[in-house]
Amino acid sequence: MQLEQLLIDTLPEMDRALEDLVRLVPPAQQVKFKNGFVFRHAEKLTQQAIVQKLSRIPSGLRAAQILCDAGYFQEQGALQRIIDEISEDVIFLSLPILFGKEEDAHRNYLNAFFAEEFDPFSGNSISEQRPMVPRKKIRAIIANSPLGAQDPSGLIAVSRTISKACSGFVHGASPHIMDTYDGNPPHFNTKGMLGTQRESEYKKDIVNYYYRGLSSFLVGARTLGHQPCFNRLYHISGAYNSLGVG
């Protein structure tokens, strides 16, 4: 199978997997908000958080692919940072279920994840700051788990490097912005960068995020105990490996 077709086939398979996994958790319920309602997972289970996080991966990849195809590589990089952290979150949340070792960081993460931003009666912003778990803590727990590499410090360093590289897209670091400075005469490209030297680089880079997102779906399927779903995704993962990805 050619890589281009594999990328096209991956997103519907993620959608199918998400539909399967959604059925395994208590459904979202209507909760009153001001004069209307919003949907919430009332139980606030880890499994529900995993499903919510997984829903963002195919959506984020579709958005990143649109940006890539249009040549907006800076914006693609920012989205890839989001996709990467969401993929990490799925693995992090799965660890206590898979291996039975829950840490304070997992409980703190869930409390922050399910915390509301607005008061449901007045609609006013709730001023309390979310007790966010530091990203370096999440990476360290993953690296030192059975899903981590044989060299935890090496895995942490790689994850940190990938995140730092994409962070410049989010925060507008000068080296990243200057990637848009190209042409004859050189100028800042604000209408996309198709046809520039950056095009092949970013079209190759996005493939890694398809694979990383798929890997998180594999972990999610295993965590929620859906073996047929896991088997389908594992088959697709093997296709990436056969093409030298992963």
Side-chain angles (χ1 to χ4, degrees):
M1 182 183 294
Q2 296 299 313
L3 180 58
E4 184 177 352
Q5 186 60 49
L6 181 58
L7 298 181
I8 293 172
D9 293 344
T10 296
L11 295 173
E13 284 297 334
M14 286 184 177
D15 293 336
R16 182 183 176 189
L18 181 63
E19 291 175 1
D20 289 341
L21 300 180
V22 164
R23 299 188 187 100
L24 299 179
V25 303
Q29 303 174 22
Q30 292 184 5
V31 176
K32 183 175 176 56
F33 183 83
K34 296 186 68 175
N35 297 324
F37 68 89
V38 292
F39 285 102
R40 293 289 186 269
H41 281 120
E43 299 82 4
K44 300 180 179 179
L45 302 176
T46 299
Q47 292 89 337
Q48 292 167 322
I50 290 171
V51 168
Q52 287 190 36
K53 288 285 185 177
L54 288 174
S55 74
R56 288 292 308 278
I57 294 177
S59 173
L61 286 170
R62 284 187 170 96
Q65 188 65 65
I66 289 171
L67 291 169
C68 182
D69 293 341
Y72 289 97
F73 304 132
Q74 298 277 306
E75 293 74 18
Q76 173 192 336
L79 268 179
Q80 287 177 174
R81 162 78 181 269
I82 295 172
I83 295 166
D84 191 53
E85 291 195 358
I86 289 173
S87 298
E88 282 184 339
D89 292 342
V90 171
I91 297 172
F92 169 74
L93 289 168
S94 296
L95 295 177
I97 298 174
L98 290 174
F99 305 110
K101 184 181 179 182
E102 184 179 55
E103 300 190 24
D104 288 341
H106 293 105
R107 291 183 286 270
N108 293 338
Y109 183 98
L110 286 176
N111 288 336
F113 176 72
F114 285 112
E116 293 290 345
E117 295 282 357
F118 301 97
D119 180 83
F121 300 103
S122 67
N124 294 330
S125 176
I126 299 174
S127 60
E128 293 184 8
Q129 187 174 2
R130 290 173 181 265
M132 304 298 292
V133 177
R135 182 58 44 180
K136 63 180 181 180
K137 178 69 172 178
I138 290 174
R139 293 194 181 112
I141 290 175
I142 293 173
N144 287 284
S145 76
L147 294 181
Q150 292 182 349
D151 176 17
S153 61
L155 180 59
I156 294 170
V158 169
S159 298
R160 184 168 57 245
T161 300
I162 293 173
S163 177
K164 185 177 180 181
C166 288
S167 178
F169 295 117
V170 176
H171 303 293
S174 175
H176 294 69
I177 292 174
M178 292 309 296
D179 278 353
T180 71
Y181 197 75
D182 197 3
N184 187 20
H187 62 284
F188 289 106
N189 288 270
T190 62
K191 299 177 182 178
M193 298 192 70
L194 291 179
T196 69
Q197 59 181 337
R198 299 296 174 190
E199 183 174 351
S200 61
E201 175 185 341
Y202 284 92
K203 287 189 173 181
K204 181 179 179 180
D205 192 39
I206 197 173
V207 175
N208 296 315
Y209 292 86
Y210 276 82
Y211 182 77
R212 290 166 73 87
L214 181 64
S215 297
S216 293
F217 263 90
L218 272 167
V219 173
R222 174 59 57 85
T223 301
L224 272 67
H226 198 302
Q227 192 62 41
C229 178
F230 178 89
N231 292 343
R232 293 197 309 269
L233 297 172
Y234 187 79
H235 176 74
I236 299 172
S237 177
Y240 277 90
N241 295 152
S242 68
L243 293 173
V245 181

